[in-house]
């Protein structure tokens, strides 16, 4: 028991706890955000389930190239524009690298959308996989 109450050891225990939480945090966040899907899964959802791609990148990035039929809703406008989205279709949230889409997916779930996925790797993964882009 003396191990836990020594001042040096308390510092080590604190560092270990903070490190463990820092390592676990991305996993906790990804669970809240919903499923992370691959580009192939996204294409299947778009084609067979009539999913809607929600591109949360800035408007300029969207116009430079995006998934065909994707809707541009910058992350800051999710709450404002979510009312225009159908609740009976799956949503695929897309960002640049797949990092910021998770928080947008959490916000969409809080607004009552049940089928929300995040494109793993974002538009970078989409481009790398050779998937088509449009600028229209």
């Amino acid at each position: 028991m003396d191990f836990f109450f020594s001042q040096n050891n308390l510092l080590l225990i604190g560092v270990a706890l903070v490190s463990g939480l820092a390592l676990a945090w991305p996993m906790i966040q990804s669970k809240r955000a919903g499923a992370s899907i691959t580009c192939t899964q996204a294409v299947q959802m778009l084609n067979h389930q009539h999913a809607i791609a929600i591109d949360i990148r800035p408007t300029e990035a969207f116009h430079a190239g995006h998934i065909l039929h994707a809707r541009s809703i910058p992350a800051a406008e999710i709450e404002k524009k979510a009312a225009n989205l159908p609740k009976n279709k799956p949503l695929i949230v897309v960002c640049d690298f797949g990092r910021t889409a998770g928080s947008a997916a959490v916000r969409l779930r809080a607004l009552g959308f049940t089928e929300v996925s995040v494109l793993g790797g974002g538009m970078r993964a989409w481009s790398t996989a050779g998937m088509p882009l449009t600028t229209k």
Side-chain angles (χ1 to χ4, degrees), residues 96-129:
D96 282 318
F97 299 102
R99 295 183 194 135
T100 56
S103 61
V106 169
R107 293 191 323 225
L108 286 168
R109 284 185 182 281
L111 293 170
F113 295 91
T114 55
E115 292 185 71
V116 181
S117 301
V118 172
L119 179 62
M123 287 303 295
R124 176 74 60 154
W126 187 267
S127 296
T128 302

Side-chain angles (χ1 to χ4, degrees), residues 3-19:
F3 175 81
F4 292 106
F5 296 110
S6 170
Q7 188 171 2
N8 289 339
N9 292 341
L10 281 175
L11 181 62
L12 289 174
I13 291 169
V15 168
L17 288 173
V18 169
S19 297

